[in-house]
Amino acid sequence: MELDKGAREIIRVLEEAGFSAYAVGGCVRDYLLGLVPKDIDITTSARPETVKELFPKTFDTGIEHGTVTVLWYGTGYEVTTFRTEGKYSDHRRPDHVEYARSLEEDLSRRDFTINAMAYHPSRGLIDLFGGKEDLESGVVRCVGRASERFEEDALRMLRAIRFAARFGFRIEEETIRAAIERASTISYVSKERIWDEIRKTLVSDHPEYLSLIFDWGMGSFISEILQDQDLADHQAPKRCEQDLHLRAAAWLHGYGEEAVYRFLREMKTDLETIRGVSLLVAHISDPLPSGEDQAAQMREMMRRIGRESVRKLLKLKKAVCMITEEEYSREEALLEEQWEKPVALKELALTGRDLIAAGDIPGPQLGAHLEFLLDEVIRDPEKNKPETLIALFRNHWYNKE
Ligand code: ATP
Ligand code: MG
């Protein structure tokens, strides 16, 4: 295991100033798995103020949690002072940070054995809780007594599911038992933190592990909307690529458009996700082109929900088994064939200004005229030429008067 250069340098600077420092948590786990860690966290005995003095470029990312981001040749490293978990009153993380004296104390407040290892460039791996062995046999296990750890922070129950789903690990029995016992306490955790774990599980290699939310009894304590657990489709997400909107729609479509919208609002997720997922669920039962002129029907669908959404909708219909593999291939081919065809007002070969120049009057009917021309172009893309459209406009609107 070879620690990245920046992390080694940061550790060296901290040690030369008389502090201890280690790479810790997710990055150690990822290194041992042979994966490239997303980011490298460093834990140190130095206080945040000191870290800021020791390095020329730092940001206060989470100074209230003892974290300072050190910028080292363009890469950010989160440097956090040894912490303990302090006192818990309401199953959430404590509101104030308490610093720990030792690495041991810092490691023992971490959630799972696989996340509680540290690494030092010359001292090597520090593994006090059997993390390496659990990593090798593929087990998610709480550090210490699971029931106490979930009592302190109920989010850890969802984190157990998330890490098991990411690596395809099993969850150790006592950890499962404790989660079942404590399921209701998930209601104390903020919706944002809950959604963050669900979101990461959805796009992992094993989104079907989300069924554990219900198996352990957390569903209705996360949201009233999830009360009826039979409406969730746990097998559908893994039949889709790792796209959040697609997988969330595949998982939740059974609850219906309105409930899915309310659920995502409740989870306080971003507007783009709320819109993207709701749109897919709203259109899941839309009929696909059939019978005469399927190309024009496909263009109409592209106009109605947008090209990218049609592409996702086809994938969604396949994932929830509303269409077969063959139907999917046929519709996908039709979509690709029509992809470049004009299906929006801004893709018309003329603008409102051109219509005015041709005798139209500015005002609300101008938009209606453009929509009429787009109807024509959707039926026959060959008509998308300025002179053809002007002629159509004149014919249709002047002859009527
Ligand atoms: P990822 O690659 O998804 O970021 P990670 O292991 O870095 O995985 P984070 O959520 O970033 O996960 O947390 C970083 C580390 O902090 C974890 O590895 C764990 O040691 C510790 N940790 C995070 N959240 C908790 C928690 N709720 N309770 C205890 N320890 C936690
Ligand atoms: Mg991380």
mmCIF file of all heavy atoms in Angstrom, residues 24-27 29-30 37-39 41 85 88 93 109-112 114-117 149 153 155-156 159 162-163 166 193 197 200, ligand 1:
data_model
loop_
_atom_site.group_PDB
_atom_site.id
_atom_site.type_symbol
_atom_site.label_atom_id
_atom_site.label_comp_id
_atom_site.label_asym_id
_atom_site.label_seq_id
_atom_site.Cartn_x
_atom_site.Cartn_y
_atom_site.Cartn_z
ATOM 1 N N VAL A 24 -6.758 8.082 7.125
ATOM 2 C CA VAL A 24 -7.744 7.366 7.930
ATOM 3 C C VAL A 24 -9.061 7.148 7.191
ATOM 4 O O VAL A 24 -9.374 7.866 6.233
ATOM 5 C CB VAL A 24 -7.994 8.170 9.241
ATOM 6 C CG1 VAL A 24 -8.808 9.431 8.958
ATOM 7 C CG2 VAL A 24 -8.676 7.333 10.306
ATOM 8 N N GLY A 25 -9.815 6.146 7.640
ATOM 9 C CA GLY A 25 -11.196 5.968 7.168
ATOM 10 C C GLY A 25 -11.301 5.399 5.766
ATOM 11 O O GLY A 25 -10.567 4.483 5.386
ATOM 12 N N GLY A 26 -12.209 5.983 4.988
ATOM 13 C CA GLY A 26 -12.540 5.464 3.666
ATOM 14 C C GLY A 26 -11.354 5.242 2.748
ATOM 15 O O GLY A 26 -11.320 4.261 2.001
ATOM 16 N N CYS A 27 -10.348 6.122 2.820
ATOM 17 C CA CYS A 27 -9.229 5.978 1.875
ATOM 18 C C CYS A 27 -8.390 4.740 2.205
ATOM 19 O O CYS A 27 -7.885 4.069 1.299
ATOM 20 C CB CYS A 27 -8.388 7.250 1.817
ATOM 21 S SG CYS A 27 -7.422 7.580 3.289
ATOM 22 N N ARG A 29 -9.508 1.963 3.628
ATOM 23 C CA ARG A 29 -10.363 0.854 3.171
ATOM 24 C C ARG A 29 -10.232 0.691 1.652
ATOM 25 O O ARG A 29 -9.975 -0.408 1.156
ATOM 26 C CB ARG A 29 -11.814 1.194 3.543
ATOM 27 C CG ARG A 29 -12.871 0.247 3.033
ATOM 28 C CD ARG A 29 -14.237 0.931 3.055
ATOM 29 N NE ARG A 29 -14.290 2.002 2.070
ATOM 30 C CZ ARG A 29 -14.942 3.148 2.228
ATOM 31 N NH1 ARG A 29 -15.597 3.394 3.338
ATOM 32 N NH2 ARG A 29 -14.927 4.064 1.278
ATOM 33 N N ASP A 30 -10.333 1.803 0.914
ATOM 34 C CA ASP A 30 -10.260 1.726 -0.545
ATOM 35 C C ASP A 30 -8.884 1.255 -1.025
ATOM 36 O O ASP A 30 -8.781 0.456 -1.948
ATOM 37 C CB ASP A 30 -10.634 3.073 -1.179
ATOM 38 C CG ASP A 30 -12.119 3.400 -1.008
ATOM 39 O OD1 ASP A 30 -12.876 2.493 -0.593
ATOM 40 O OD2 ASP A 30 -12.520 4.540 -1.280
ATOM 41 N N PRO A 37 -9.025 5.811 -3.926
ATOM 42 C CA PRO A 37 -9.970 6.555 -3.079
ATOM 43 C C PRO A 37 -10.392 7.877 -3.720
ATOM 44 O O PRO A 37 -9.603 8.489 -4.435
ATOM 45 C CB PRO A 37 -9.190 6.804 -1.794
ATOM 46 C CG PRO A 37 -7.770 6.516 -2.093
ATOM 47 C CD PRO A 37 -7.686 5.713 -3.343
ATOM 48 N N LYS A 38 -11.646 8.257 -3.477
ATOM 49 C CA LYS A 38 -12.168 9.531 -4.006
ATOM 50 C C LYS A 38 -11.407 10.693 -3.408
ATOM 51 O O LYS A 38 -11.077 11.648 -4.074
ATOM 52 C CB LYS A 38 -13.644 9.703 -3.614
ATOM 53 C CG LYS A 38 -14.611 9.071 -4.565
ATOM 54 C CD LYS A 38 -16.004 9.711 -4.474
ATOM 55 C CE LYS A 38 -16.563 9.849 -3.068
ATOM 56 N NZ LYS A 38 -17.201 8.661 -2.512
ATOM 57 N N ASP A 39 -11.185 10.605 -2.105
ATOM 58 C CA ASP A 39 -10.444 11.661 -1.422
ATOM 59 C C ASP A 39 -9.708 11.054 -0.236
ATOM 60 O O ASP A 39 -10.007 9.945 0.183
ATOM 61 C CB ASP A 39 -11.371 12.795 -0.966
ATOM 62 C CG ASP A 39 -12.713 12.273 -0.517
ATOM 63 O OD1 ASP A 39 -12.731 11.214 0.158
ATOM 64 O OD2 ASP A 39 -13.733 12.889 -0.834
ATOM 65 N N ASP A 41 -8.535 11.428 3.640
ATOM 66 C CA ASP A 41 -8.749 12.124 4.907
ATOM 67 C C ASP A 41 -7.552 11.859 5.807
ATOM 68 O O ASP A 41 -7.019 10.745 5.846
ATOM 69 C CB ASP A 41 -10.017 11.601 5.590
ATOM 70 C CG ASP A 41 -11.266 11.917 4.783
ATOM 71 O OD1 ASP A 41 -11.290 12.964 4.109
ATOM 72 O OD2 ASP A 41 -12.215 11.111 4.809
ATOM 73 N N GLU A 85 -16.827 11.033 20.166
ATOM 74 C CA GLU A 85 -18.189 11.376 19.816
ATOM 75 C C GLU A 85 -18.920 12.194 20.856
ATOM 76 O O GLU A 85 -19.993 12.673 20.626
ATOM 77 C CB GLU A 85 -18.991 10.109 19.455
ATOM 78 C CG GLU A 85 -18.718 9.658 18.040
ATOM 79 C CD GLU A 85 -18.999 10.710 16.955
ATOM 80 O OE1 GLU A 85 -18.633 11.890 17.110
ATOM 81 O OE2 GLU A 85 -19.567 10.341 15.924
ATOM 82 N N TYR A 88 -24.430 11.882 23.375
ATOM 83 C CA TYR A 88 -25.552 11.867 22.436
ATOM 84 C C TYR A 88 -26.821 12.032 23.229
ATOM 85 O O TYR A 88 -27.005 11.400 24.251
ATOM 86 C CB TYR A 88 -25.628 10.529 21.710
ATOM 87 C CG TYR A 88 -24.550 10.376 20.700
ATOM 88 C CD1 TYR A 88 -23.310 9.913 21.072
ATOM 89 C CD2 TYR A 88 -24.792 10.713 19.374
ATOM 90 C CE1 TYR A 88 -22.305 9.781 20.145
ATOM 91 C CE2 TYR A 88 -23.793 10.575 18.441
ATOM 92 C CZ TYR A 88 -22.554 10.105 18.835
ATOM 93 O OH TYR A 88 -21.572 9.979 17.907
ATOM 94 N N ARG A 93 -25.870 12.997 15.556
ATOM 95 C CA ARG A 93 -24.510 13.350 15.924
ATOM 96 C C ARG A 93 -24.561 14.465 16.960
ATOM 97 O O ARG A 93 -25.446 15.296 16.950
ATOM 98 C CB ARG A 93 -23.746 13.821 14.682
ATOM 99 C CG ARG A 93 -23.416 12.678 13.761
ATOM 100 C CD ARG A 93 -22.461 13.104 12.721
ATOM 101 N NE ARG A 93 -23.064 14.071 11.812
ATOM 102 C CZ ARG A 93 -22.596 14.326 10.610
ATOM 103 N NH1 ARG A 93 -21.536 13.706 10.174
ATOM 104 N NH2 ARG A 93 -23.178 15.205 9.832
ATOM 105 N N ARG A 109 -14.530 5.843 17.633
ATOM 106 C CA ARG A 109 -15.826 6.501 17.448
ATOM 107 C C ARG A 109 -16.323 6.330 16.014
ATOM 108 O O ARG A 109 -17.411 6.769 15.652
ATOM 109 C CB ARG A 109 -15.730 7.990 17.796
ATOM 110 C CG ARG A 109 -14.757 8.795 16.936
ATOM 111 C CD ARG A 109 -15.396 9.674 15.909
ATOM 112 N NE ARG A 109 -14.364 10.335 15.102
ATOM 113 C CZ ARG A 109 -14.577 10.797 13.891
ATOM 114 N NH1 ARG A 109 -15.747 10.647 13.314
ATOM 115 N NH2 ARG A 109 -13.617 11.377 13.234
ATOM 116 N N ARG A 110 -15.538 5.691 15.162
ATOM 117 C CA ARG A 110 -15.942 5.506 13.757
ATOM 118 C C ARG A 110 -16.974 4.396 13.644
ATOM 119 O O ARG A 110 -17.107 3.556 14.523
ATOM 120 C CB ARG A 110 -14.707 5.264 12.892
ATOM 121 C CG ARG A 110 -13.881 6.538 12.812
ATOM 122 C CD ARG A 110 -12.583 6.416 12.094
ATOM 123 N NE ARG A 110 -11.871 7.698 12.207
ATOM 124 C CZ ARG A 110 -11.969 8.689 11.342
ATOM 125 N NH1 ARG A 110 -12.696 8.547 10.253
ATOM 126 N NH2 ARG A 110 -11.322 9.825 11.539
ATOM 127 N N ASP A 111 -17.715 4.372 12.536
ATOM 128 C CA ASP A 111 -18.892 3.507 12.459
ATOM 129 C C ASP A 111 -18.603 2.013 12.310
ATOM 130 O O ASP A 111 -19.057 1.194 13.103
ATOM 131 C CB ASP A 111 -19.879 3.998 11.382
ATOM 132 C CG ASP A 111 -19.223 4.340 10.055
ATOM 133 O OD1 ASP A 111 -18.022 4.046 9.863
ATOM 134 O OD2 ASP A 111 -19.921 4.903 9.177
ATOM 135 N N PHE A 112 -17.847 1.629 11.277
ATOM 136 C CA PHE A 112 -17.654 0.197 10.993
ATOM 137 C C PHE A 112 -16.175 -0.155 10.998
ATOM 138 O O PHE A 112 -15.328 0.689 10.707
ATOM 139 C CB PHE A 112 -18.285 -0.154 9.634
ATOM 140 C CG PHE A 112 -19.718 0.299 9.554
ATOM 141 C CD1 PHE A 112 -20.096 1.332 8.713
ATOM 142 C CD2 PHE A 112 -20.676 -0.276 10.376
ATOM 143 C CE1 PHE A 112 -21.409 1.780 8.683
ATOM 144 C CE2 PHE A 112 -21.987 0.156 10.354
ATOM 145 C CZ PHE A 112 -22.363 1.192 9.505
ATOM 146 N N ILE A 114 -14.427 -1.686 8.914
ATOM 147 C CA ILE A 114 -13.750 -1.448 7.631
ATOM 148 C C ILE A 114 -13.469 0.042 7.407
ATOM 149 O O ILE A 114 -12.641 0.395 6.579
ATOM 150 C CB ILE A 114 -14.568 -2.007 6.426
ATOM 151 C CG1 ILE A 114 -15.958 -1.383 6.369
ATOM 152 C CG2 ILE A 114 -14.642 -3.534 6.484
ATOM 153 C CD1 ILE A 114 -16.727 -1.706 5.087
ATOM 154 N N ASN A 115 -14.150 0.908 8.157
ATOM 155 C CA ASN A 115 -13.947 2.359 8.043
ATOM 156 C C ASN A 115 -13.097 2.904 9.179
ATOM 157 O O ASN A 115 -12.950 4.113 9.313
ATOM 158 C CB ASN A 115 -15.304 3.091 8.103
ATOM 159 C CG ASN A 115 -16.114 2.914 6.839
ATOM 160 O OD1 ASN A 115 -15.596 2.449 5.845
ATOM 161 N ND2 ASN A 115 -17.381 3.291 6.894
ATOM 162 N N ALA A 116 -12.594 2.018 10.036
ATOM 163 C CA ALA A 116 -11.944 2.491 11.254
ATOM 164 C C ALA A 116 -10.456 2.147 11.281
ATOM 165 O O ALA A 116 -9.875 1.926 12.341
ATOM 166 C CB ALA A 116 -12.655 1.905 12.478
ATOM 167 N N MET A 117 -9.842 2.098 10.108
ATOM 168 C CA MET A 117 -8.402 1.813 10.052
ATOM 169 C C MET A 117 -7.648 3.082 9.693
ATOM 170 O O MET A 117 -8.179 3.958 9.017
ATOM 171 C CB MET A 117 -8.118 0.734 9.003
ATOM 172 C CG MET A 117 -8.653 -0.628 9.397
ATOM 173 S SD MET A 117 -8.355 -1.857 8.095
ATOM 174 C CE MET A 117 -9.728 -1.529 7.018
ATOM 175 N N ARG A 149 -23.917 1.880 19.208
ATOM 176 C CA ARG A 149 -23.483 2.740 18.093
ATOM 177 C C ARG A 149 -24.666 3.293 17.316
ATOM 178 O O ARG A 149 -24.643 4.423 16.851
ATOM 179 C CB ARG A 149 -22.526 1.991 17.161
ATOM 180 C CG ARG A 149 -21.302 1.360 17.817
ATOM 181 C CD ARG A 149 -20.610 2.246 18.845
ATOM 182 N NE ARG A 149 -20.292 3.584 18.379
ATOM 183 C CZ ARG A 149 -19.273 3.877 17.576
ATOM 184 N NH1 ARG A 149 -18.449 2.941 17.187
ATOM 185 N NH2 ARG A 149 -19.050 5.109 17.199
ATOM 186 N N ASP A 153 -26.047 7.287 16.923
ATOM 187 C CA ASP A 153 -26.330 7.924 15.635
ATOM 188 C C ASP A 153 -27.076 6.917 14.762
ATOM 189 O O ASP A 153 -26.487 5.982 14.228
ATOM 190 C CB ASP A 153 -25.018 8.352 14.959
ATOM 191 C CG ASP A 153 -25.252 9.058 13.634
ATOM 192 O OD1 ASP A 153 -26.437 9.234 13.239
ATOM 193 O OD2 ASP A 153 -24.257 9.434 12.984
ATOM 194 N N LEU A 155 -28.267 7.162 11.900
ATOM 195 C CA LEU A 155 -27.935 7.139 10.469
ATOM 196 C C LEU A 155 -27.035 5.954 10.127
ATOM 197 O O LEU A 155 -27.027 5.455 9.004
ATOM 198 C CB LEU A 155 -27.228 8.435 10.050
ATOM 199 C CG LEU A 155 -26.977 8.540 8.549
ATOM 200 C CD1 LEU A 155 -28.283 8.850 7.821
ATOM 201 C CD2 LEU A 155 -25.929 9.593 8.213
ATOM 202 N N ARG A 156 -26.271 5.493 11.110
ATOM 203 C CA ARG A 156 -25.342 4.379 10.863
ATOM 204 C C ARG A 156 -26.051 3.139 10.331
ATOM 205 O O ARG A 156 -25.453 2.343 9.626
ATOM 206 C CB ARG A 156 -24.578 4.054 12.146
ATOM 207 C CG ARG A 156 -23.584 5.158 12.501
ATOM 208 C CD ARG A 156 -22.974 4.977 13.872
ATOM 209 N NE ARG A 156 -22.119 6.113 14.185
ATOM 210 C CZ ARG A 156 -21.823 6.515 15.407
ATOM 211 N NH1 ARG A 156 -22.323 5.867 16.448
ATOM 212 N NH2 ARG A 156 -21.041 7.559 15.599
ATOM 213 N N ARG A 159 -26.074 3.709 6.779
ATOM 214 C CA ARG A 159 -24.690 3.630 6.293
ATOM 215 C C ARG A 159 -24.248 2.164 6.166
ATOM 216 O O ARG A 159 -23.518 1.814 5.239
ATOM 217 C CB ARG A 159 -23.729 4.411 7.201
ATOM 218 C CG ARG A 159 -23.897 5.930 7.075
ATOM 219 C CD ARG A 159 -23.010 6.694 8.059
ATOM 220 N NE ARG A 159 -21.581 6.452 7.880
ATOM 221 C CZ ARG A 159 -20.803 7.101 7.012
ATOM 222 N NH1 ARG A 159 -21.309 8.036 6.239
ATOM 223 N NH2 ARG A 159 -19.515 6.822 6.927
ATOM 224 N N ARG A 162 -25.587 1.064 2.974
ATOM 225 C CA ARG A 162 -24.861 1.697 1.863
ATOM 226 C C ARG A 162 -23.501 1.026 1.590
ATOM 227 O O ARG A 162 -23.164 0.723 0.446
ATOM 228 C CB ARG A 162 -24.633 3.179 2.169
ATOM 229 C CG ARG A 162 -24.239 3.959 0.944
ATOM 230 C CD ARG A 162 -22.901 4.650 1.024
ATOM 231 N NE ARG A 162 -22.791 5.722 1.984
ATOM 232 C CZ ARG A 162 -21.687 6.452 2.089
ATOM 233 N NH1 ARG A 162 -20.637 6.209 1.309
ATOM 234 N NH2 ARG A 162 -21.613 7.387 3.002
ATOM 235 N N PHE A 163 -22.728 0.779 2.640
ATOM 236 C CA PHE A 163 -21.410 0.178 2.412
ATOM 237 C C PHE A 163 -21.544 -1.284 1.975
ATOM 238 O O PHE A 163 -20.787 -1.748 1.121
ATOM 239 C CB PHE A 163 -20.516 0.318 3.652
ATOM 240 C CG PHE A 163 -20.041 1.734 3.855
ATOM 241 C CD1 PHE A 163 -20.530 2.517 4.882
ATOM 242 C CD2 PHE A 163 -19.129 2.300 2.961
ATOM 243 C CE1 PHE A 163 -20.112 3.840 5.042
ATOM 244 C CE2 PHE A 163 -18.700 3.622 3.113
ATOM 245 C CZ PHE A 163 -19.190 4.395 4.155
ATOM 246 N N ARG A 166 -22.403 -1.093 -1.647
ATOM 247 C CA ARG A 166 -21.307 -0.650 -2.505
ATOM 248 C C ARG A 166 -20.333 -1.789 -2.798
ATOM 249 O O ARG A 166 -19.860 -1.954 -3.910
ATOM 250 C CB ARG A 166 -20.561 0.518 -1.849
ATOM 251 C CG ARG A 166 -19.291 0.764 -2.593
ATOM 252 C CD ARG A 166 -18.642 2.112 -2.645
ATOM 253 N NE ARG A 166 -19.066 3.194 -1.845
ATOM 254 C CZ ARG A 166 -18.207 4.058 -1.274
ATOM 255 N NH1 ARG A 166 -16.915 3.881 -1.398
ATOM 256 N NH2 ARG A 166 -18.657 5.072 -0.598
ATOM 257 N N ARG A 193 -29.656 13.921 5.435
ATOM 258 C CA ARG A 193 -28.653 12.874 5.685
ATOM 259 C C ARG A 193 -29.200 11.514 5.256
ATOM 260 O O ARG A 193 -28.464 10.683 4.721
ATOM 261 C CB ARG A 193 -28.248 12.838 7.165
ATOM 262 C CG ARG A 193 -27.432 14.054 7.605
ATOM 263 C CD ARG A 193 -27.083 13.937 9.086
ATOM 264 N NE ARG A 193 -25.963 13.030 9.345
ATOM 265 C CZ ARG A 193 -25.808 12.329 10.468
ATOM 266 N NH1 ARG A 193 -26.700 12.408 11.433
ATOM 267 N NH2 ARG A 193 -24.758 11.541 10.624
ATOM 268 N N GLU A 197 -27.664 8.897 2.033
ATOM 269 C CA GLU A 197 -27.317 7.469 2.093
ATOM 270 C C GLU A 197 -28.146 6.669 1.083
ATOM 271 O O GLU A 197 -27.625 5.788 0.396
ATOM 272 C CB GLU A 197 -27.518 6.916 3.505
ATOM 273 C CG GLU A 197 -26.643 7.567 4.576
ATOM 274 C CD GLU A 197 -25.148 7.431 4.304
ATOM 275 O OE1 GLU A 197 -24.723 6.431 3.699
ATOM 276 O OE2 GLU A 197 -24.397 8.356 4.699
ATOM 277 N N LYS A 200 -26.766 7.267 -2.425
ATOM 278 C CA LYS A 200 -25.521 6.535 -2.683
ATOM 279 C C LYS A 200 -25.785 5.036 -2.841
ATOM 280 O O LYS A 200 -25.112 4.364 -3.614
ATOM 281 C CB LYS A 200 -24.505 6.798 -1.575
ATOM 282 C CG LYS A 200 -23.959 8.222 -1.634
ATOM 283 C CD LYS A 200 -23.025 8.525 -0.479
ATOM 284 C CE LYS A 200 -22.425 9.928 -0.625
ATOM 285 N NZ LYS A 200 -21.686 10.326 0.577
HETATM 286 P P1 ATP B 1 -16.985 7.608 0.667
HETATM 287 O O1 ATP B 1 -15.966 7.041 -0.254
HETATM 288 O O2 ATP B 1 -18.373 7.280 0.277
HETATM 289 O O3 ATP B 1 -16.792 9.056 1.011
HETATM 290 P P2 ATP B 1 -16.138 7.232 3.357
HETATM 291 O O4 ATP B 1 -15.747 6.042 4.155
HETATM 292 O O5 ATP B 1 -15.094 8.286 3.156
HETATM 293 O O6 ATP B 1 -16.767 6.754 2.008
HETATM 294 P P3 ATP B 1 -17.676 9.270 4.622
HETATM 295 O O7 ATP B 1 -19.141 9.357 4.849
HETATM 296 O O8 ATP B 1 -17.008 10.270 3.767
HETATM 297 O O9 ATP B 1 -17.385 7.808 4.121
HETATM 298 O O10 ATP B 1 -17.015 9.290 6.074
HETATM 299 C C1 ATP B 1 -15.599 9.302 6.269
HETATM 300 C C2 ATP B 1 -15.231 8.474 7.509
HETATM 301 O O11 ATP B 1 -15.764 9.090 8.680
HETATM 302 C C3 ATP B 1 -15.818 7.058 7.493
HETATM 303 O O12 ATP B 1 -14.945 6.161 6.833
HETATM 304 C C4 ATP B 1 -15.946 6.765 8.978
HETATM 305 O O13 ATP B 1 -14.717 6.376 9.523
HETATM 306 C C5 ATP B 1 -16.297 8.111 9.573
HETATM 307 N N1 ATP B 1 -17.747 8.380 9.670
HETATM 308 C C6 ATP B 1 -18.521 9.046 8.797
HETATM 309 N N2 ATP B 1 -19.781 9.131 9.216
HETATM 310 C C7 ATP B 1 -19.831 8.504 10.393
HETATM 311 C C8 ATP B 1 -20.866 8.256 11.362
HETATM 312 N N3 ATP B 1 -22.115 8.659 11.148
HETATM 313 N N4 ATP B 1 -20.528 7.596 12.480
HETATM 314 C C9 ATP B 1 -19.260 7.192 12.708
HETATM 315 N N5 ATP B 1 -18.258 7.377 11.853
HETATM 316 C C10 ATP B 1 -18.520 8.034 10.702
#
